[in-house]
PDB file of all heavy atoms in Angstrom:
ATOM      1  N   ASN A 296      31.298 126.575  76.722  1.00 98.00           N
ATOM      2  CA  ASN A 296      32.342 127.208  77.519  1.00 98.00           C
ATOM      3  C   ASN A 296      33.716 126.868  76.962  1.00 98.00           C
ATOM      4  O   ASN A 296      33.932 125.787  76.406  1.00 98.00           O
ATOM      5  CB  ASN A 296      32.256 126.775  78.976  1.00 98.00           C
ATOM      6  CG  ASN A 296      31.169 127.496  79.744  1.00 98.00           C
ATOM      7  OD1 ASN A 296      30.554 128.434  79.244  1.00 98.00           O
ATOM      8  ND2 ASN A 296      30.914 127.054  80.971  1.00 98.00           N
ATOM      9  N   THR A 297      34.650 127.777  77.168  1.00 98.00           N
ATOM     10  CA  THR A 297      35.989 127.614  76.610  1.00 98.00           C
ATOM     11  C   THR A 297      36.675 126.332  77.078  1.00 98.00           C
ATOM     12  O   THR A 297      37.362 125.672  76.297  1.00 98.00           O
ATOM     13  CB  THR A 297      36.860 128.822  76.999  1.00 98.00           C
ATOM     14  OG1 THR A 297      36.548 129.242  78.343  1.00 98.00           O
ATOM     15  CG2 THR A 297      36.617 129.990  76.072  1.00 98.00           C
ATOM     16  N   TYR A 298      36.527 125.963  78.336  1.00 96.00           N
ATOM     17  CA  TYR A 298      37.314 124.853  78.869  1.00 96.00           C
ATOM     18  C   TYR A 298      36.862 123.496  78.346  1.00 96.00           C
ATOM     19  O   TYR A 298      37.656 122.552  78.288  1.00 96.00           O
ATOM     20  CB  TYR A 298      37.316 124.862  80.400  1.00 96.00           C
ATOM     21  CG  TYR A 298      35.957 124.789  81.042  1.00 96.00           C
ATOM     22  CD1 TYR A 298      35.329 123.583  81.278  1.00 96.00           C
ATOM     23  CD2 TYR A 298      35.299 125.948  81.431  1.00 96.00           C
ATOM     24  CE1 TYR A 298      34.080 123.524  81.876  1.00 96.00           C
ATOM     25  CE2 TYR A 298      34.061 125.909  82.034  1.00 96.00           C
ATOM     26  CZ  TYR A 298      33.458 124.697  82.246  1.00 96.00           C
ATOM     27  OH  TYR A 298      32.209 124.646  82.830  1.00 96.00           O
ATOM     28  N   TYR A 299      35.580 123.354  77.965  1.00 97.00           N
ATOM     29  CA  TYR A 299      35.122 122.057  77.463  1.00 97.00           C
ATOM     30  C   TYR A 299      35.864 121.661  76.195  1.00 97.00           C
ATOM     31  O   TYR A 299      36.217 120.495  75.996  1.00 97.00           O
ATOM     32  CB  TYR A 299      33.611 122.083  77.190  1.00 97.00           C
ATOM     33  CG  TYR A 299      32.746 121.970  78.414  1.00 97.00           C
ATOM     34  CD1 TYR A 299      31.916 123.015  78.802  1.00 97.00           C
ATOM     35  CD2 TYR A 299      32.754 120.820  79.201  1.00 97.00           C
ATOM     36  CE1 TYR A 299      31.110 122.923  79.926  1.00 97.00           C
ATOM     37  CE2 TYR A 299      31.959 120.722  80.327  1.00 97.00           C
ATOM     38  CZ  TYR A 299      31.135 121.779  80.679  1.00 97.00           C
ATOM     39  OH  TYR A 299      30.343 121.672  81.801  1.00 97.00           O
ATOM     40  N   TRP A 300      36.080 122.626  75.311  1.00 98.00           N
ATOM     41  CA  TRP A 300      36.778 122.330  74.061  1.00 98.00           C
ATOM     42  C   TRP A 300      38.200 121.841  74.359  1.00 98.00           C
ATOM     43  O   TRP A 300      38.671 120.869  73.772  1.00 98.00           O
ATOM     44  CB  TRP A 300      36.808 123.576  73.175  1.00 98.00           C
ATOM     45  CG  TRP A 300      37.212 123.315  71.748  1.00 98.00           C
ATOM     46  CD1 TRP A 300      36.391 123.069  70.691  1.00 98.00           C
ATOM     47  CD2 TRP A 300      38.550 123.278  71.232  1.00 98.00           C
ATOM     48  NE1 TRP A 300      37.129 122.889  69.529  1.00 98.00           N
ATOM     49  CE2 TRP A 300      38.461 123.009  69.838  1.00 98.00           C
ATOM     50  CE3 TRP A 300      39.818 123.454  71.785  1.00 98.00           C
ATOM     51  CZ2 TRP A 300      39.574 122.909  69.007  1.00 98.00           C
ATOM     52  CZ3 TRP A 300      40.935 123.343  70.966  1.00 98.00           C
ATOM     53  CH2 TRP A 300      40.812 123.079  69.602  1.00 98.00           C
ATOM     54  N   ALA A 301      38.870 122.504  75.296  1.00 97.00           N
ATOM     55  CA  ALA A 301      40.221 122.099  75.670  1.00 97.00           C
ATOM     56  C   ALA A 301      40.234 120.707  76.297  1.00 97.00           C
ATOM     57  O   ALA A 301      41.128 119.893  76.027  1.00 97.00           O
ATOM     58  CB  ALA A 301      40.822 123.121  76.635  1.00 97.00           C
ATOM     59  N   LEU A 302      39.249 120.418  77.138  1.00 96.00           N
ATOM     60  CA  LEU A 302      39.163 119.097  77.757  1.00 96.00           C
ATOM     61  C   LEU A 302      38.969 118.008  76.706  1.00 96.00           C
ATOM     62  O   LEU A 302      39.570 116.930  76.784  1.00 96.00           O
ATOM     63  CB  LEU A 302      38.007 119.065  78.764  1.00 96.00           C
ATOM     64  CG  LEU A 302      38.222 119.825  80.073  1.00 96.00           C
ATOM     65  CD1 LEU A 302      36.911 119.981  80.826  1.00 96.00           C
ATOM     66  CD2 LEU A 302      39.249 119.104  80.943  1.00 96.00           C
ATOM     67  N   MET A 303      38.111 118.290  75.708  1.00 98.00           N
ATOM     68  CA  MET A 303      37.889 117.311  74.641  1.00 98.00           C
ATOM     69  C   MET A 303      39.151 117.107  73.815  1.00 98.00           C
ATOM     70  O   MET A 303      39.506 115.984  73.458  1.00 98.00           O
ATOM     71  CB  MET A 303      36.731 117.757  73.743  1.00 98.00           C
ATOM     72  CG  MET A 303      35.375 117.699  74.412  1.00 98.00           C
ATOM     73  SD  MET A 303      33.994 118.090  73.290  1.00 98.00           S
ATOM     74  CE  MET A 303      34.274 119.841  72.976  1.00 98.00           C
ATOM     75  N   MET A 304      39.836 118.178  73.519  1.00 98.00           N
ATOM     76  CA  MET A 304      41.026 118.096  72.683  1.00 98.00           C
ATOM     77  C   MET A 304      42.181 117.390  73.396  1.00 98.00           C
ATOM     78  O   MET A 304      42.903 116.584  72.796  1.00 98.00           O
ATOM     79  CB  MET A 304      41.461 119.499  72.258  1.00 98.00           C
ATOM     80  CG  MET A 304      42.720 119.536  71.395  1.00 98.00           C
ATOM     81  SD  MET A 304      42.530 118.661  69.806  1.00 98.00           S
ATOM     82  CE  MET A 304      41.564 119.888  68.885  1.00 98.00           C
ATOM     83  N   ASN A 305      42.349 117.644  74.687  1.00 96.00           N
ATOM     84  CA  ASN A 305      43.545 117.194  75.396  1.00 96.00           C
ATOM     85  C   ASN A 305      43.345 116.029  76.354  1.00 96.00           C
ATOM     86  O   ASN A 305      44.292 115.289  76.622  1.00 96.00           O
ATOM     87  CB  ASN A 305      44.137 118.356  76.200  1.00 96.00           C
ATOM     88  CG  ASN A 305      44.577 119.509  75.324  1.00 96.00           C
ATOM     89  OD1 ASN A 305      44.894 119.329  74.160  1.00 96.00           O
ATOM     90  ND2 ASN A 305      44.591 120.709  75.885  1.00 96.00           N
ATOM     91  N   ASN A 306      42.120 115.848  76.867  1.00 94.00           N
ATOM     92  CA  ASN A 306      41.923 114.904  77.965  1.00 94.00           C
ATOM     93  C   ASN A 306      40.984 113.747  77.659  1.00 94.00           C
ATOM     94  O   ASN A 306      40.819 112.861  78.494  1.00 94.00           O
ATOM     95  CB  ASN A 306      41.385 115.641  79.204  1.00 94.00           C
ATOM     96  CG  ASN A 306      42.370 116.624  79.792  1.00 94.00           C
ATOM     97  OD1 ASN A 306      43.161 117.203  79.083  1.00 94.00           O
ATOM     98  ND2 ASN A 306      42.321 116.823  81.101  1.00 94.00           N
ATOM     99  N   ASP A 307      40.336 113.750  76.516  1.00 96.00           N
ATOM    100  CA  ASP A 307      39.333 112.734  76.232  1.00 96.00           C
ATOM    101  C   ASP A 307      39.460 112.249  74.784  1.00 96.00           C
ATOM    102  O   ASP A 307      38.876 112.841  73.872  1.00 96.00           O
ATOM    103  CB  ASP A 307      37.932 113.289  76.477  1.00 96.00           C
ATOM    104  CG  ASP A 307      36.876 112.203  76.552  1.00 96.00           C
ATOM    105  OD1 ASP A 307      37.093 111.120  75.968  1.00 96.00           O
ATOM    106  OD2 ASP A 307      35.829 112.431  77.187  1.00 96.00           O
ATOM    107  N   PRO A 308      40.206 111.178  74.552  1.00 97.00           N
ATOM    108  CA  PRO A 308      40.420 110.687  73.190  1.00 97.00           C
ATOM    109  C   PRO A 308      39.129 110.379  72.438  1.00 97.00           C
ATOM    110  O   PRO A 308      39.064 110.568  71.219  1.00 97.00           O
ATOM    111  CB  PRO A 308      41.252 109.414  73.404  1.00 97.00           C
ATOM    112  CG  PRO A 308      41.928 109.619  74.719  1.00 97.00           C
ATOM    113  CD  PRO A 308      40.953 110.391  75.557  1.00 97.00           C
ATOM    114  N   ASP A 309      38.100 109.912  73.142  1.00 97.00           N
ATOM    115  CA  ASP A 309      36.840 109.589  72.484  1.00 97.00           C
ATOM    116  C   ASP A 309      36.134 110.829  71.933  1.00 97.00           C
ATOM    117  O   ASP A 309      35.388 110.742  70.949  1.00 97.00           O
ATOM    118  CB  ASP A 309      35.895 108.866  73.453  1.00 97.00           C
ATOM    119  CG  ASP A 309      36.387 107.481  73.809  1.00 97.00           C
ATOM    120  OD1 ASP A 309      37.199 106.919  73.031  1.00 97.00           O
ATOM    121  OD2 ASP A 309      35.983 106.961  74.857  1.00 97.00           O
ATOM    122  N   LYS A 310      36.363 111.964  72.580  1.00 98.00           N
ATOM    123  CA  LYS A 310      35.689 113.200  72.164  1.00 98.00           C
ATOM    124  C   LYS A 310      36.604 114.147  71.395  1.00 98.00           C
ATOM    125  O   LYS A 310      36.152 115.191  70.904  1.00 98.00           O
ATOM    126  CB  LYS A 310      35.105 113.916  73.393  1.00 98.00           C
ATOM    127  CG  LYS A 310      34.018 113.102  74.103  1.00 98.00           C
ATOM    128  CD  LYS A 310      33.510 113.811  75.337  1.00 98.00           C
ATOM    129  CE  LYS A 310      32.368 113.031  75.991  1.00 98.00           C
ATOM    130  NZ  LYS A 310      32.770 111.682  76.435  1.00 98.00           N
ATOM    131  N   LYS A 311      37.852 113.779  71.256  1.00 98.00           N
ATOM    132  CA  LYS A 311      38.799 114.635  70.539  1.00 98.00           C
ATOM    133  C   LYS A 311      38.350 114.927  69.105  1.00 98.00           C
ATOM    134  O   LYS A 311      38.509 116.063  68.631  1.00 98.00           O
ATOM    135  CB  LYS A 311      40.192 114.013  70.542  1.00 98.00           C
ATOM    136  CG  LYS A 311      41.261 114.912  69.931  1.00 98.00           C
ATOM    137  CD  LYS A 311      42.658 114.332  70.113  1.00 98.00           C
ATOM    138  CE  LYS A 311      43.711 115.280  69.556  1.00 98.00           C
ATOM    139  NZ  LYS A 311      45.085 114.752  69.780  1.00 98.00           N
ATOM    140  N   PRO A 312      37.759 113.961  68.381  1.00 98.00           N
ATOM    141  CA  PRO A 312      37.291 114.272  67.018  1.00 98.00           C
ATOM    142  C   PRO A 312      36.259 115.394  66.971  1.00 98.00           C
ATOM    143  O   PRO A 312      36.180 116.112  65.970  1.00 98.00           O
ATOM    144  CB  PRO A 312      36.685 112.942  66.552  1.00 98.00           C
ATOM    145  CG  PRO A 312      37.419 111.896  67.327  1.00 98.00           C
ATOM    146  CD  PRO A 312      37.632 112.517  68.674  1.00 98.00           C
ATOM    147  N   TRP A 313      35.481 115.566  68.049  1.00 98.00           N
ATOM    148  CA  TRP A 313      34.494 116.650  68.077  1.00 98.00           C
ATOM    149  C   TRP A 313      35.205 118.003  68.124  1.00 98.00           C
ATOM    150  O   TRP A 313      34.778 118.954  67.466  1.00 98.00           O
ATOM    151  CB  TRP A 313      33.573 116.525  69.278  1.00 98.00           C
ATOM    152  CG  TRP A 313      32.866 115.207  69.377  1.00 98.00           C
ATOM    153  CD1 TRP A 313      32.787 114.238  68.406  1.00 98.00           C
ATOM    154  CD2 TRP A 313      32.162 114.700  70.510  1.00 98.00           C
ATOM    155  NE1 TRP A 313      32.064 113.150  68.870  1.00 98.00           N
ATOM    156  CE2 TRP A 313      31.660 113.407  70.150  1.00 98.00           C
ATOM    157  CE3 TRP A 313      31.881 115.189  71.774  1.00 98.00           C
ATOM    158  CZ2 TRP A 313      30.910 112.620  71.022  1.00 98.00           C
ATOM    159  CZ3 TRP A 313      31.141 114.410  72.656  1.00 98.00           C
ATOM    160  CH2 TRP A 313      30.659 113.142  72.278  1.00 98.00           C
ATOM    161  N   ALA A 314      36.287 118.067  68.887  1.00 98.00           N
ATOM    162  CA  ALA A 314      37.063 119.307  68.946  1.00 98.00           C
ATOM    163  C   ALA A 314      37.808 119.540  67.632  1.00 98.00           C
ATOM    164  O   ALA A 314      37.869 120.670  67.134  1.00 98.00           O
ATOM    165  CB  ALA A 314      38.053 119.255  70.107  1.00 98.00           C
ATOM    166  N   GLU A 315      38.347 118.476  67.066  1.00 98.00           N
ATOM    167  CA  GLU A 315      39.118 118.621  65.831  1.00 98.00           C
ATOM    168  C   GLU A 315      38.257 119.093  64.663  1.00 98.00           C
ATOM    169  O   GLU A 315      38.761 119.717  63.725  1.00 98.00           O
ATOM    170  CB  GLU A 315      39.802 117.297  65.490  1.00 98.00           C
ATOM    171  CG  GLU A 315      40.911 116.924  66.459  1.00 98.00           C
ATOM    172  CD  GLU A 315      41.528 115.571  66.163  1.00 98.00           C
ATOM    173  OE1 GLU A 315      40.808 114.677  65.651  1.00 98.00           O
ATOM    174  OE2 GLU A 315      42.719 115.397  66.429  1.00 98.00           O
ATOM    175  N   ALA A 316      36.962 118.804  64.712  1.00 98.00           N
ATOM    176  CA  ALA A 316      36.066 119.210  63.628  1.00 98.00           C
ATOM    177  C   ALA A 316      35.565 120.633  63.798  1.00 98.00           C
ATOM    178  O   ALA A 316      34.890 121.163  62.905  1.00 98.00           O
ATOM    179  CB  ALA A 316      34.874 118.254  63.561  1.00 98.00           C
ATOM    180  N   THR A 317      35.888 121.251  64.931  1.00 98.00           N
ATOM    181  CA  THR A 317      35.372 122.589  65.231  1.00 98.00           C
ATOM    182  C   THR A 317      36.508 123.562  65.530  1.00 98.00           C
ATOM    183  O   THR A 317      37.644 123.163  65.783  1.00 98.00           O
ATOM    184  CB  THR A 317      34.416 122.559  66.431  1.00 98.00           C
ATOM    185  OG1 THR A 317      35.110 122.056  67.579  1.00 98.00           O
ATOM    186  CG2 THR A 317      33.207 121.669  66.149  1.00 98.00           C
TER     187      THR A 317
END
Side-chain angles (χ1 to χ4, degrees):
N296 281 352
T297 38
Y298 58 86
Y299 282 115
W300 193 93
L302 287 167
M303 291 185 292
M304 179 62 77
N305 298 334
N306 294 31
D307 195 335
D309 292 338
K310 297 178 177 61
K311 186 173 183 178
W313 304 348
E315 291 177 329
T317 59

